[in-house]
Amino acid sequence: MAAPGRHVGHYIQRNSRLLLNNFEQLWSPRNFGWTSALRQQAAEANKEPPDTIVIPRKKTWSKEAVLEALSSTVGRDPTAYPYNFQDDPFLSPRTMNEFKMYSLSQESGKSAAKFFINNNPKYFTRDFAEPHIPCLMPETVSLLLEDVSEEALKERINLRKVTAAVEMYDQLLQSGTTISMETTYDLLDLICLYCDRDPVEEGGAQTEEMEEPGEEVRRGRGKVRWASDFVKFSWKENNNAERIFNLLPERDTRCYSALIRGMVKHGAHAKAFSMYTDLLNNRLTADVHIFNALVTAAPDVRDKYNERWDLIAELLSQMNQQKVQPNLSTFNSVLKALRRCGSLAKTQAIHTLNEMKAMGIAPSLASYDHILNAFSKAASSSGAVNTDILQEVMSELEGKSFTCQDPDDVLFFSTAMRICLNNKDLELGYRVYNLVEHGENWRLLGAFYHQGIFYRRFFNLLCMMEHIDVVLTWYRKLVPSLYYPNHQGLKDLLQALDTDGRLDLLPTIWKDIRALGHDNKSELVEELLMLMARDKHSAEVQEAFAACALDIKSVSEGDMRKNTMEWSTSSLSNITSLLLRADKTQAAWETLKLFKSKNRVPEEPLLEDFLSVCCSDGSPQRAVMLVQLSAAFCLSATPKLAKRTLAEFNLTEKQRAVLSELECTGESSG
Amino acid sequence: MYRFLFRTVYTARKSSACVYEACVLPAKCDKAAVFRFANGGGLKALSTSSVSLCEKKDNVASSTEDEKTVAEKEVDPTETPTLVTQKAEDDSTVMKMEEQREEEPMVLKTGDESTTQQEDVKIEQVEATPPEVNTVEAKSGKDSLLDILGGMKVDVTSKRKLRSLKPRQSHDSTHQSKPAAMESTISMFQKATEEASSQSETLDPQLVAAASAAASTLPDSIQAESDLLRQLRQHKAVSEAQKKGDMNNLGDIIAHMKVGKNPDRRLSTRPANQIQFDDDGPGYTHDRGINTELYSARRKKIYMSGKRLNIFSSTTDEDGVESTVARPTLWDVELANELSLSSKQTHRNGLEEMIEWTKEGRMWQYPVNNEVGLEEEASVPFHEHIFLEKHLQEGFPRQGPVRHFMELVLAGLSKNPYLTVQQKREHISWFRDYFHQKEDVLKEADVYLN
């Protein structure tokens, strides 16, 4: 049994040299394909001392790693509506407004459920989940501790109950309890943040997208709550924050910081500066937050541009003297303030940016946004806006991914696209778009409102500058999964179609217009009809146009619940002539009758065209009725039409009599 | 030849309205050059200097002066700042060549003349003949001519918005390399080469005659003539060699072609802003579409570099450490919340929704390694599971059947992945208690050995 195996082994051993040679021969041509450079590198790598073995570190994966990898293969589906509406086909938004309404109602439904659960925790005690899932259980939003103690105060601070916390603090003071510094800081922060008022909703900013149904109407702009929410209160003289501050036995930087930040946030800019002076008089040094707040406030306390800048520069040098390290938001505040410094902005913004880089602080998108704004503002006064600065910014940003570091970061892309649009710089527009598409940068497009602006500008730019085929590719890619064009955007698209002579696509665009709910915008529909009726096309195109025209007509007639479109003379005559060109005489006649019911007067060339069609159809009856219709409108062309009808048609005696009468009356009146 | 060269260059660089071509003086010839101005009159003359060249070529027979110019121009890698404004507005514009001046005393005069003529901005074409003239006058003439050219250029550009003129001044020091670059540039375009070689293949007797005529105007006529003729032959040899072999580096040359762009045209009289056909360093083009990166790289120098505020000194780390120690205040929480809100987007697909659920803890986690589900055992090292003998140290006999039995139990436990270490310990201690209770019975049977 073992003999053949041994024999084989022996054979292999004997022939191994031959085999190896063969292998080498097999491999060598493959090696030839490699460049000499590669070989050199390999040789160099071999020369390195072998004793340095780098053990790779253990790779730790986050728990979402698998899902993220999967998600990156899926991306966005450009043919579908946004994902969050796919559960319910009824909730497929067709317009911007519907999108807004549906997404807000979704969120408000969630918030309502959460509100109910949080406020009635006793009904939601069962814990089905194994293991326990905290986020499914009700949160504590009501106060549990009733006694007067520092613990109770802390609880009130954590739950952000401003008035209750202030009351508790006062009670604690009256009872003579000493309150720890930490708690006092937190209390001051709380009062200053909310400007001595209870936040609008319990939990307030803690819960994301907490929206009350009543709020929706007021907020037309999507999720920009955080901006408008707190600013509306103004800082009051001697409010609880100041009172508590004055009662404090000793005040340190931290207390000043809370006060100054609160004052700046709520519009008491001058007071913030006097507070700062007070701080300096007490021989304290400020912290970075104080400086950030003061820089933000600087343009409001000075009137002249150069005074504003001097103040900012003064603050920055004081910062340096007090050995306070600036951070990203310091420089972003400086840049933002510079936007209100007029002509100084351009040079100083660049200097600030360079300072930032020299300090080793990477600028965020907001920094660039401020710079772009400073430049475009300076340029708009002089007339020409140039894209040089954007070119430069883009060449710095390209290929990087960003995370949100500043609330203003989300404004960058729409600003950049605005500059591209104003300069009609298509190539730069594509670069900006590519940056958005890079990595997770699209998350920084901001709320849907800003996103809409960005895509609108991009699409406008495309319509203006790009070839129609490319425009349509983008159109399919963006609409409606990312962008709901308004009627102006669609008009741009129509114009682009007109420019490149692709009017045959108009019926498809009309379908989209209907789907997007712009079929009642008379301006848009008129433009569409005008484009269709302007030139004559081949038979099948005319056929499609006529079908489209009929569709337009039926939409505006059939839809009674919507505010129907006001018919203009030109659009009615456009429809009629479109129908005539496609030999739909009956339908055209119906449209002609519409003129009367809509109190419009048809134009003469239209009637003459109609008569010619009647002539070619050989329908004298309709021709007579046409002349009668014309007479009913008291058109001056009536006799001419009558004469033509008399000459060109085979008429009965009765018809002749009617026509000659019309001819005479027309002539006598005319 | 030049016509083709210019034309192809023109098509390649649409935006560069003008190209300066330079030839380099042969080593023997001294730097001095006589500049001749071919002043084209006429309204559209400005745009047709290349045409003027062609005209000159076409009119070879008609005028000996013309012939001479062409010959010298084609033949000599002279230091010839050939200024060409290219615009094919009217190819048929007739260029009247002015009387050409070749003598060096006339140079300054010509310069003057051209200055007077630059008011009604017309075509400029500068050619240099390589006579062996070492006079200082000629040099200064050349300098002044360059200045004049600069001046003219400004005028021209201010009138013609989109066309710019770039002066090209060749460097005397690069005698050897420049002709080569020049020649390879020529060879880039097949047509050009064909034309060039066909013209220079046979040393046309007319050319020779023209060369000798040109040389005769110079002091040392024999020497000049022989120089000229040698250059002619050299040129012929080079172009022929390139016709045969050098086509393959065409791509290289095109890739390295650069058209210098001046950010501010008013400053463009400086000879630094030139079109260069050399092959080192990154080049710049007018055309953003072709070469965006290089364009932006050049742009970068304008804004983003330069001064800073110089308020802050460089970083010191102490403060940073301090701030990280401090716990997040309400303000920080608020800012973080704001940021997460502003970058929050609707989900693009179901997987993103699942990611969020995972983050919230609502969803079962997808396993990312083979230790998933080891929450309570995560901190327990594996040897606690495997080596359980230490638990037999107490409460068990050292030998005998009980000991043997327990070892078997441990072997089973050590292979059981489903029990926690705590459970295994409990299991062992249950046996300990059991055997402890039965100690009497076991001792009676004489199997409990201690």
Side-chain angles (χ1 to χ4, degrees):
Chain A
M1 278 295 284
R6 195 188 298 164
H7 184 71
V8 169
H10 183 63
Y11 185 75
I12 288 176
Q13 196 183 17
R14 217 176 41 178
N15 289 316
S16 60
R17 176 166 298 189
L18 185 71
L19 271 173
L20 276 178
N21 282 343
N22 280 337
F23 273 129
E24 271 175 12
Q25 277 172 1
L26 276 174
W27 285 336
S28 56
R30 196 169 288 182
N31 287 339
F32 268 123
W34 296 353
T35 60
S36 55
L38 196 64
R39 281 188 172 177
Q40 276 179 357
Q41 278 180 349
E44 279 170 8
N46 285 341
K47 275 179 213 160
E48 278 175 21
D51 53 356
T52 55
I53 297 169
V54 183
I55 300 165
R57 287 193 306 143
K58 187 189 176 188
K59 177 95 183 169
T60 48
W61 297 95
S62 69
K63 54 189 176 181
E64 305 93 16
V66 175
L67 285 170
E68 273 163 5
L70 286 173
S71 170
S72 70
T73 64
V74 176
R76 184 178 61 87
D77 181 3
T79 61
Y81 288 106
Y83 174 77
N84 44 338
F85 300 115
Q86 283 175 10
D87 284 346
D88 191 350
F90 180 76
L91 288 179
S92 299
R94 295 175 306 158
T95 64
M96 185 78 179
N97 278 333
E98 279 185 359
F99 180 91
K100 211 183 299 173
M101 201 167 76
Y102 292 161
S103 49
L104 285 180
S105 48
Q106 255 186 351
E107 290 303 322
S108 72
K110 283 181 197 166
S111 315
K114 200 157 198 169
F115 176 82
F116 192 78
I117 292 174
N118 286 345
N119 281 286
N120 301 281
K122 59 185 174 196
Y123 301 118
F124 300 96
T125 49
R126 274 212 52 192
D127 190 1
F128 291 97
E130 173 72 35
H132 175 70
I133 299 175
C135 79
L136 292 183
M137 300 311 286
E139 293 167 16
T140 40
V141 290
S142 54
L143 300 170
L144 297 176
L145 301 171
E146 291 299 326
D147 57 329
V148 179
S149 69
E150 192 173 329
E151 285 307 308
L153 176 62
K154 273 183 184 163
E155 187 194 30
R156 277 154 183 72
I157 291 171
N158 283 336
L159 292 174
R160 308 198 183 192
K161 306 254 182 219
V162 178
T163 30
V166 171
E167 274 171 25
M168 180 62 69
Y169 183 82
D170 289 341
Q171 284 173 10
L172 283 171
L173 274 193
Q174 277 164 16
S175 65
T177 329
T178 50
I179 297 156
S180 74
M181 235 24 214
E182 283 298 313
T183 318
T184 320
Y185 295 149
D186 286 347
L187 180 66
L188 279 176
D189 279 345
L190 181 74
I191 300 172
C192 292
L193 180 64
Y194 291 108
C195 195
D196 200 13
R197 279 176 186 81
D198 272 326
V200 278
E201 169 84 323
E202 45 274 280
Q206 240 174 1
T207 49
E208 290 179 58
E209 293 179 320
M210 188 68 91
E211 283 161 34
E212 286 179 324
E215 249 182 345
E216 278 168 35
V217 190
R218 183 170 56 78
R219 299 171 39 216
R221 288 191 160 196
K223 303 162 188 164
V224 284
R225 161 208 185 90
W226 42 269
S228 58
D229 231 3
F230 308 110
V231 178
K232 59 192 173 196
F233 308 120
S234 58
W235 189 266
K236 279 192 188 134
E237 194 74 21
N238 271 330
N239 63 7
N240 281 321
E242 286 186 38
R243 189 172 56 84
I244 293 174
F245 178 79
N246 290 331
L247 285 176
L248 285 178
E250 54 176 313
R251 300 149 203 160
D252 60 1
T253 308
R254 188 61 214 284
C255 305
Y256 277 103
S257 173
L259 262 283
I260 290 176
R261 289 173 96 178
M263 285 168 179
V264 170
K265 190 177 179 73
H266 300 289
H269 304 297
K271 208 165 170 54
F273 273 93
S274 65
M275 192 61 112
Y276 175 62
T277 328
D278 194 26
L279 173 135
L280 290 183
N281 290 340
N282 285 342
R283 294 168 185 281
L284 290 168
T285 55
D287 65 359
V288 66
H289 304 295
I290 293 180
F291 283 115
N292 291 354
L294 290 178
V295 166
T296 315
D300 290 298
V301 294
R302 294 284 188 276
D303 289 330
K304 287 183 186 153
Y305 290 151
N306 55 347
E307 283 178 3
R308 285 177 181 176
W309 171 246
D310 290 344
L311 181 60
I312 293 171
E314 170 68 22
L315 281 171
L316 291 181
S317 50
Q318 282 179 17
M319 224 170 148
N320 192 39
Q321 282 163 16
Q322 299 179 19
K323 301 255 182 297
V324 177
Q325 282 300 311
N327 57 18
L328 177 69
S329 70
T330 313
F331 286 112
N332 278 350
S333 310
V334 172
L335 288 169
K336 195 171 185 175
L338 268 172
R339 285 169 65 172
R340 298 169 62 188
C341 288
S343 53
L344 279 170
K346 246 173 153 175
T347 46
Q348 298 302 342
I350 292 298
H351 290 170
T352 312
L353 189 73
N354 287 329
E355 181 87 5
M356 227 168 147
K357 288 174 182 165
M359 296 292 292
I361 296 168
S364 77
L365 286 181
S367 327
Y368 291 112
D369 178 53
H370 296 320
I371 285 175
L372 287 182
N373 273 311
F375 270 75
S376 59
K377 197 179 279 178
S380 63
S381 54
S382 67
V385 187
N386 68 4
T387 54
D388 291 346
I389 183 72
L390 182 57
Q391 293 269 13
E392 229 168 276
V393 168
M394 284 310 295
S395 61
E396 235 168 74
L397 298 185
E398 252 161 9
K400 291 185 189 165
S401 337
F402 297 91
T403 50
C404 197
Q405 291 171 288
D406 189 296
D408 287 337
D409 276 359
V410 296
L411 302 175
F412 170 78
F413 287 117
S414 48
T415 309
M417 201 45 100
R418 189 193 69 217
I419 293 174
C420 295
L421 179 63
N422 289 345
N423 288 282
K424 303 192 172 44
D425 193 335
L426 184 65
E427 191 230 336
L428 203 52
Y430 277 131
R431 284 171 73 186
V432 174
Y433 187 84
N434 286 338
L435 183 64
V436 171
E437 293 286 282
H438 185 271
E440 296 277 283
N441 285 352
W442 59 273
R443 289 188 183 277
L444 294 177
L445 275 180
F448 196 77
Y449 174 69
H450 294 294
Q451 217 168 325
I453 292 176
F454 174 79
Y455 285 116
R456 195 187 70 215
R457 285 171 178 162
F458 183 54
F459 190 66
N460 281 0
L461 184 67
L462 286 173
C463 283
M464 247 190 288
M465 306 299 293
E466 189 59 280
H467 187 259
I468 186 65
D469 292 335
V470 187
V471 174
L472 285 174
T473 323
W474 279 106
Y475 177 75
R476 299 280 162 236
K477 210 169 150 189
L478 299 179
V479 177
S481 58
L482 280 177
Y483 165 54
Y484 300 96
N486 56 6
H487 71 278
Q488 190 56 44
L490 284 168
K491 257 176 99 170
D492 289 343
L493 179 65
L494 290 182
Q495 273 154 13
L497 284 169
D498 185 20
T499 315
D500 282 344
R502 291 300 303 275
L503 292 176
D504 53 319
L505 293 171
L506 286 176
T508 28
I509 304 295
W510 161 248
K511 276 182 195 147
D512 290 342
I513 291 175
R514 265 190 84 169
L516 289 166
H518 291 309
D519 47 7
N520 55 351
K521 305 277 193 313
S522 59
E523 201 185 348
L524 185 63
V525 176
E526 268 171 40
E527 172 101 11
L528 180 76
L529 285 170
M530 191 273 288
L531 285 176
M532 284 202 291
R534 197 183 56 196
D535 301 315
K536 291 198 169 159
H537 300 270
S538 64
E540 59 257 44
V541 175
Q542 285 297 352
E543 195 68 29
F545 279 7
C548 177
L550 275 180
D551 196 32
I552 294 175
K553 192 167 143 240
S554 67
V555 163
S556 51
E557 277 171 354
D559 222 350
M560 281 307 167
R561 58 188 168 80
K562 272 196 262 179
N563 47 342
T564 46
M565 202 179 74
E566 189 74 9
W567 281 112
S568 72
T569 312
S570 62
S571 49
L572 275 178
S573 26
N574 283 336
I575 291 183
T576 318
S577 56
L578 279 170
L579 292 171
L580 280 178
R581 276 182 214 163
D583 290 330
K584 293 187 189 301
T585 326
Q586 182 57 39
W589 180 249
E590 300 287 328
T591 321
L592 209 54
K593 281 190 201 159
L594 266 183
F595 275 95
K596 188 137 185 101
S597 59
K598 305 281 181 198
N599 293 327
R600 301 273 183 249
V601 180
E603 284 154 20
E604 289 170 23
L606 177 69
L607 293 179
E608 278 173 21
D609 285 348
F610 206 109
L611 199 60
S612 314
V613 173
C614 290
C615 184
S616 57
D617 282 358
S619 54
Q621 182 62 37
R622 180 155 287 151
V624 173
M625 282 163 75
L626 182 72
V627 179
Q628 281 173 325
L629 188 75
S630 159
F633 282 121
C634 297
L635 289 181
S636 57
T638 313
K640 214 164 66 187
L641 291 171
K643 199 180 279 173
R644 217 178 123 195
T645 319
L646 281 171
E648 292 177 11
F649 289 86
N650 291 325
L651 300 168
T652 60
E653 280 306 312
K654 199 176 168 188
Q655 288 168 335
R656 271 182 194 285
V658 172
L659 284 181
S660 38
E661 189 188 337
L662 284 175
E663 187 180 1
C664 297
T665 50
E667 268 169 2
S668 61
S669 66
Chain B
M1 171 183 99
Y2 277 92
R3 176 177 48 179
F4 276 98
L5 182 61
F6 291 145
R7 195 165 283 171
T8 35
V9 165
Y10 178 63
T11 47
R13 300 261 180 278
K14 268 199 287 182
S15 53
S16 68
C18 66
V19 175
Y20 276 72
E21 197 45 65
C23 299
V24 181
L25 268 174
K28 280 221 169 170
C29 293
D30 280 325
K31 288 115 193 174
V34 177
F35 290 81
R36 262 192 322 227
F37 278 72
N39 289 310
L43 285 170
K44 292 175 177 174
L46 175 63
S47 56
T48 53
S49 77
S50 67
V51 176
S52 79
L53 241 187
C54 317
E55 291 288 331
K56 278 192 285 173
K57 274 186 205 160
D58 295 342
N59 299 338
V60 162
S62 65
S63 146
T64 44
E65 271 87 7
D66 283 1
E67 171 59 36
K68 231 181 279 171
T69 339
V70 174
E72 284 152 5
K73 196 169 157 41
E74 281 178 343
V75 167
D76 299 332
T78 52
E79 181 163 9
T80 310
T82 312
L83 167 64
V84 178
T85 54
Q86 262 186 321
K87 172 73 175 85
E89 249 178 41
D90 190 356
D91 277 353
S92 63
T93 313
V94 180
M95 307 290 302
K96 295 298 176 197
M97 304 286 294
E98 264 208 2
E99 191 72 15
Q100 296 178 7
R101 293 144 222 271
E102 294 167 21
E103 310 300 331
E104 73 276 9
M106 306 295 275
V107 168
L108 286 173
K109 230 184 180 178
T110 324
D112 292 339
E113 225 175 89
S114 66
T115 10
T116 56
Q117 277 173 356
Q118 81 187 33
E119 261 91 64
D120 39 351
V121 179
K122 299 303 164 242
I123 183 71
E124 316 86 30
Q125 168 150 357
V126 186
E127 295 174 10
T129 54
E132 278 204 76
V133 182
N134 313 352
T135 58
V136 186
E137 287 168 34
K139 273 199 166 185
S140 63
K142 178 186 160 189
D143 289 345
S144 67
L145 266 176
L146 280 173
D147 291 344
I148 289 156
L149 275 179
M152 288 167 81
K153 204 204 126 307
V154 172
D155 284 350
V156 169
T157 45
S158 61
K159 294 201 177 176
R160 309 274 319 267
K161 282 171 198 161
L162 291 173
R163 313 282 160 190
S164 62
L165 299 175
K166 304 271 189 283
R168 156 95 194 199
Q169 187 179 21
S170 50
H171 308 287
D172 297 330
S173 54
T174 56
H175 288 299
Q176 294 307 315
S177 62
K178 288 284 177 167
M182 176 62 197
E183 296 303 338
S184 51
T185 322
I186 292 164
S187 75
M188 278 190 298
F189 312 103
Q190 288 191 351
K191 273 189 177 179
T193 318
E194 276 163 24
E195 179 106 353
S197 51
S198 72
Q199 284 196 3
S200 56
E201 230 164 12
T202 55
L203 278 186
D204 197 341
Q206 274 186 320
L207 279 180
V208 179
S212 57
S216 68
T217 60
L218 303 172
D220 191 357
S221 62
I222 301 166
Q223 177 66 31
E225 188 181 339
S226 67
D227 276 342
L228 287 174
L229 290 177
R230 196 181 59 231
Q231 283 304 321
L232 275 172
R233 285 189 205 97
Q234 194 180 326
H235 181 202
K236 178 190 153 197
V238 168
S239 53
E240 224 157 39
Q242 282 170 350
K243 183 187 176 190
K244 284 166 189 157
D246 266 359
M247 286 305 180
N248 54 355
N249 61 2
L250 195 144
D252 272 352
I253 294 155
I254 290 180
H256 289 115
M257 272 177 76
K258 304 185 282 196
V259 179
K261 189 187 177 194
N262 198 334
D264 188 352
R265 286 189 186 140
R266 261 166 286 184
L267 297 176
S268 63
T269 49
R270 285 175 300 147
N273 300 287
Q274 294 156 348
I275 297 165
Q276 297 180 355
F277 289 106
D278 50 8
D279 47 3
D280 49 350
Y284 313 121
T285 71
H286 285 282
D287 199 340
R288 294 176 190 178
I290 291 176
N291 217 338
T292 314
E293 282 169 39
L294 293 179
Y295 177 79
S296 52
R298 173 154 174 89
R299 279 296 181 192
K300 198 170 187 170
K301 289 174 187 166
I302 300 169
Y303 291 112
M304 291 292 184
S305 61
K307 287 195 288 181
R308 47 179 278 204
L309 290 175
N310 280 323
I311 289 177
F312 293 104
S313 52
S314 59
T315 39
T316 49
D317 298 28
E318 305 133 32
D319 294 321
V321 175
E322 187 199 14
S323 69
T324 50
V325 170
R327 73 196 171 94
T329 63
L330 194 63
W331 297 93
D332 299 334
V333 173
E334 197 55 42
L335 179 72
N337 185 43
E338 217 172 278
L339 293 181
S340 75
L341 259 186
S342 57
S343 63
K344 187 182 164 74
Q345 297 283 341
T346 54
H347 311 299
R348 297 194 302 179
N349 52 49
L351 294 165
E352 281 183 6
E353 193 175 35
M354 284 158 84
I355 290 174
E356 195 188 298
W357 286 346
T358 313
K359 279 177 183 160
E360 285 173 1
R362 278 203 263 176
M363 212 180 75
W364 176 76
Q365 292 171 16
Y366 276 87
V368 288
N369 54 27
N370 58 2
E371 289 170 7
V372 72
L374 274 181
E375 286 84 12
E376 47 187 319
E377 289 285 288
S379 58
V380 181
F382 83 103
H383 59 82
E384 298 266 319
H385 279 272
I386 306 299
F387 303 114
L388 298 163
E389 279 79 7
K390 61 180 177 185
H391 301 302
L392 295 189
Q393 301 284 343
E394 294 171 16
F396 290 104
R398 295 200 181 277
Q399 52 187 346
V402 173
R403 177 79 186 191
H404 184 64
F405 171 78
M406 279 316 294
E407 275 166 5
L408 290 178
V409 167
L410 291 193
L413 282 178
S414 68
K415 290 175 187 172
N416 189 338
Y418 303 107
L419 296 177
T420 63
V421 170
Q422 188 55 38
Q423 281 170 318
K424 288 178 183 179
R425 279 193 204 129
E426 281 165 10
H427 200 76
I428 294 167
S429 62
W430 183 88
F431 278 110
R432 186 183 291 124
D433 291 345
Y434 179 81
F435 287 122
H436 198 68
Q437 284 167 11
K438 305 288 178 190
E439 201 175 340
D440 299 342
V441 183
L442 292 171
K443 276 192 172 156
E444 220 165 88
D446 210 17
V447 288
Y448 192 85
L449 302 172
N450 203 353

